Amino acid sequence: MGEPEQHQIPFRERRFRNARLRRGVFLVPALFTSANLLCGYFAVVAALMGTTADFDRAAKAIGFAILFDSLDGRLARLLGANTDFGVQFDSLADVVSFGIAPAVVAFAWGVRSLTIAGTQQGQLLSDMGWVCCLGFLVCCAWRLARFNVQGMAPGSSKYFVGMPTPAAAGVIAALVHGFKGPLHDWRWSVAWFLLAAGLGALMTSTIRYYSFKDIPWTRKQPSLAIVVLCLIVGVIWRYSEIALVIIASTYAAVGVVLHLTRFIRHRLVSRTA
């Protein structure tokens, strides 16, 4: 009974319905990308407000941007809605959420409450922070442009070339969320701005970072894996200040350690050969 009714629908009307459905599928990942962009914008505005609570909200907004960014690509692949427009829109949103937003948050958090504010030393430190955070932003845009051209590491989709921009932004957001109040000691501010510059260098480096893209999220998983995942989510929810700092810092450090290990092993093999 259903098939004859399908044939009774004119061809042009069926094509119009299919086109409407197709646009709806494309709309789903675009909404998540827009949410990512909204979180980045909110983080910038919150950082400009400058209170301790505002900095914490800005850090959380960057965290949610990371979540939305990870979901929009997966939904696009799952729904078969990958387009060149979606790729470019996602990259532009990432520049805001993982470039501009963490750079503004890092700068404001590092200079807003300094005891030497208004002095010549404070101005020099502010200029240093301005340059370091600008370097972070430029490196973020550079990293995204390189990824759009070159893609993943050659021969496998398991690794990124250079630290992913969400991970670099996540380190800044995790530290701001973990320590809450802005910095007061100029020595910590110097270390903070050097960290921002170092994260920028990691983004443009050739160090390989694990992408987690080979994990079969859509397949059946052992019960133990589900329990462990629930425990991790629970720990992050209850002890987010400590857990997120550990996770973000560990991911950043592991890539560097593995790169140095491979480099030293290659040198030893070359000498013995």
Side-chain angles (χ1 to χ4, degrees):
M1 293 296 290
E3 188 172 350
E5 292 179 2
Q6 176 71 17
H7 285 294
Q8 291 175 5
I9 301 176
F11 172 74
R12 293 181 60 183
E13 183 178 348
R14 281 189 280 124
R15 186 174 61 178
F16 177 71
R17 290 183 179 180
N18 290 336
R20 290 176 59 188
L21 178 61
R22 193 64 175 172
R23 285 198 296 270
V25 171
F26 285 103
L27 182 62
V28 172
L31 285 175
F32 279 85
T33 304
S34 299
N36 170 16
L37 186 59
L38 171 63
C39 290
Y41 174 73
F42 178 86
V44 172
V45 174
L48 294 177
M49 300 299 291
T51 66
T52 299
D54 288 322
F55 281 122
D56 190 43
R57 294 189 190 102
K60 291 178 180 178
I62 294 175
F64 280 111
I66 296 173
L67 176 62
F68 289 130
D69 179 65
S70 64
L71 290 176
D72 64 358
R74 295 184 185 279
L75 286 173
R77 290 188 293 270
L78 182 63
L79 299 174
N82 291 313
T83 63
D84 292 336
F85 174 83
V87 172
Q88 301 306 321
F89 184 34
D90 182 69
S91 293
L92 292 173
D94 288 352
V95 171
V96 175
S97 298
F98 308 135
I100 296 176
V104 173
V105 171
F107 176 77
W109 198 68
V111 302
R112 180 61 60 88
S113 300
L114 287 178
T115 55
I116 60 173
T119 64
Q120 183 177 3
Q121 292 84 356
Q123 184 60 43
L124 290 174
L125 183 59
S126 178
D127 293 340
M128 172 192 171
W130 190 90
V131 172
C132 291
C133 293
L134 173 63
F136 179 92
L137 172 58
V138 172
C139 290
C140 173
W142 185 291
R143 169 69 174 76
L144 291 167
R146 185 180 67 180
F147 178 78
N148 287 345
V149 174
Q150 299 180 356
M152 306 291 290
S156 174
S157 62
K158 292 176 58 177
Y159 297 98
F160 293 111
V161 179
M163 189 176 188
T165 56
V171 173
I172 290 178
L175 290 171
V176 172
H177 175 62
F179 291 94
K180 305 297 183 186
L183 299 176
H184 295 81
D185 191 329
W186 67 269
R187 288 165 291 191
W188 283 112
S189 293
V190 170
W192 173 247
F193 292 135
L194 291 178
L195 173 64
L199 291 172
L202 288 177
M203 284 190 285
T204 56
S205 70
T206 57
I207 297 175
R208 295 190 175 192
Y209 280 86
Y210 186 52
S211 68
F212 300 97
K213 290 188 176 183
D214 61 331
I215 298 178
W217 299 102
T218 57
R219 298 179 185 177
K220 291 183 178 181
Q221 302 294 331
S223 300
L224 180 59
I226 305 299
V227 172
V228 171
L229 181 61
C230 291
L231 288 175
I232 293 175
V233 173
V235 169
I236 293 175
W237 181 268
R238 182 64 181 84
Y239 306 101
S240 60
E241 290 85 353
I242 300 175
L244 292 176
V245 170
I246 294 175
I247 292 173
S249 303
T250 300
Y251 183 78
V254 165
V256 177
V257 171
L258 292 179
H259 180 77
L260 292 176
T261 302
R262 287 191 292 265
F263 176 77
I264 294 174
R265 185 183 302 168
H266 178 73
R267 293 294 297 270
L268 293 176
V269 172
S270 300
R271 288 183 179 180
T272 57

